[in-house]
Amino acid sequence: MVRSSVFSVVVTACSFLAAAAAAQGIEKVVKVDAGASQTTGEGMLAAARSSVNNINTAELQAILKKNPVTVLIDVRTANESYLQGGTIRATRSLIIPRGSLELQIMDAVPDKGTPIVVYSSANRRSPLAAASLKRMGYGNVKNYSDGTEGWKKAGLAMESPDEDLNSILYSRPVKVIDGVYSAIGATAPGTYENSGHNNNLSFIVTDEGVLVVNAGANYLLARALHEEIKKITDKPVKYVVLENGQGHAMLGSNYWKEQGVP
């Protein structure tokens, strides 16, 4: 009888200790999970978003109008920016990828009092970038929370190394007036992305045929322009006029000579 009572007490005590240990273990798990949530990517992103000065599209427009020398930093890679439609058009626009920001920012923007707005496509890397710049001592940093997706949705101007990814031309011909068209080139040096199309390749459609102004920087650009001309008219190209002897005006002449065009 006594032995049975002692056994019962021991069993009860062990059950209590096990329950307490289990409860303590659960408490520890909760504490660990709570701590871990502060070091996950999403947790760090949420903390960054709450610690920086976030602005929307209307506020960014107002900033650029009031202070055009504000530095806009796109923290996507250059290739992402190119494939996703370019950067926000601004007087001082830079691409510094998020992974290189801390190492490159001092060379790009040495004055830590310079007004800076950082952005990405969808407000994920840019809050982290803005928070990091604040920690580095940059005192006038804002995060554009709408990102390029919001900027483009609002129909606002973008800058791109190539405006038409489906054509060798930087941009396709647009109608200037009746019968006059121009494929307007990049305001930049010739690059792989713009295929050397950094001048205006124009043409005039007349009753007798087409007059082309500038042969283009290379054979493929000239051919691409000709393909666009054929979409607008079935009249033949009669002449190509070179506005000067610069490469982007005349190096495509071999294509036109192949077509028998003087």
Side-chain angles (χ1 to χ4, degrees), residues 60-73:
L60 177 54
Q61 285 182 281
I63 288 170
L64 293 177
K65 184 176 181 180
K66 182 178 180 180
N67 189 1
V69 297
T70 298
V71 177
L72 263 63
I73 300 178

Side-chain angles (χ1 to χ4, degrees), residues 1 21 34 36 42 59 90 109 115 118-119 126 141 149 154 163 165 175 181 194 197 207 211 224 231 241 243 250 258:
M1 191 71 179
E42 292 298 329
E59 290 169 319
V109 188
V118 296
Y119 67 93
S126 58
V141 179
E149 291 181 6
E163 289 193 354
L165 297 179
K175 184 176 179 180
Y181 301 82
N194 64 36
H197 182 192
D207 292 338
L211 172 72
K231 293 176 185 177
V241 177
E243 69 173 313
M250 50 74 67
E258 273 190 10

Side-chain angles (χ1 to χ4, degrees):
M1 191 71 179
V2 172
R3 189 178 298 168
S4 177
S5 297
V6 171
F7 181 76
S8 297
V9 170
V10 171
V11 170
T12 302
C14 287
S15 298
F16 175 79
L17 290 172
Q24 187 178 20
I26 291 171
E27 184 179 356
K28 284 182 179 177
V29 170
V30 170
K31 286 181 178 177
V32 169
D33 287 348
S37 70
Q38 301 302 312
T39 55
T40 63
E42 292 298 329
M44 293 173 69
L45 177 58
R49 283 174 174 164
S50 65
S51 70
V52 299
N53 186 351
N54 297 288
I55 60 172
N56 60 28
T57 299
E59 290 169 319
L60 177 54
Q61 285 182 281
I63 288 170
L64 293 177
K65 184 176 181 180
K66 182 178 180 180
N67 189 1
V69 297
T70 298
V71 177
L72 263 63
I73 300 178
D74 182 348
V75 297
R76 299 171 295 171
T77 65
N79 195 48
E80 280 182 282
S81 172
Y82 167 52
L83 294 175
Q84 294 173 3
T87 59
I88 294 171
R89 183 173 294 172
T91 302
R92 300 181 69 186
S93 179
L94 303 174
I95 298 176
I96 306 179
R98 175 66 192 94
S100 306
L101 182 67
E102 290 82 358
L103 298 175
Q104 295 183 11
I105 187 63
M106 285 298 295
D107 290 330
V109 188
D111 181 356
K112 292 188 175 181
T114 302
I116 296 173
V117 176
V118 296
Y119 67 93
S120 54
S121 58
N123 196 36
R124 292 185 66 80
R125 278 167 284 183
S126 58
L128 297 167
S132 184
L133 291 178
K134 282 183 63 179
R135 289 193 297 271
M136 292 179 70
Y138 284 87
N140 189 359
V141 179
K142 296 178 176 62
N143 171 52
Y144 173 45
S145 58
D146 290 343
T148 53
E149 291 181 6
W151 191 262
K152 288 189 290 186
K153 188 176 180 179
L156 298 169
M158 302 283 289
E159 292 280 1
S160 175
D162 189 355
E163 289 193 354
D164 194 327
L165 297 179
N166 295 312
S167 173
I168 292 175
L169 293 165
Y170 171 79
S171 66
R172 300 191 195 223
V174 294
K175 184 176 179 180
V176 180
I177 58 173
D178 286 345
V180 179
Y181 301 82
S182 187
I184 298 170
T187 309
T191 63
Y192 172 82
E193 288 81 9
N194 64 36
S195 305
H197 182 192
N198 62 345
N199 64 338
N200 297 339
L201 304 178
S202 307
F203 57 95
I204 304 168
V205 180
T206 74
D207 292 338
E208 297 179 16
V210 179
L211 172 72
V212 171
V213 180
N214 289 329
N218 55 67
Y219 183 99
L220 294 179
L221 267 181
R223 186 174 70 182
L225 179 66
H226 198 189
E227 289 171 355
E228 296 300 320
I229 292 171
K230 291 175 182 177
K231 293 176 185 177
I232 293 170
T233 179
D234 58 2
K235 291 183 171 66
V237 175
K238 290 287 190 175
Y239 297 98
V240 175
V241 177
L242 308 181
E243 69 173 313
N244 55 46
Q246 295 178 359
H248 61 190
M250 50 74 67
L251 288 176
S253 295
N254 55 341
Y255 170 80
W256 296 110
K257 289 186 75 173
E258 273 190 10
Q259 313 311 308
V261 179

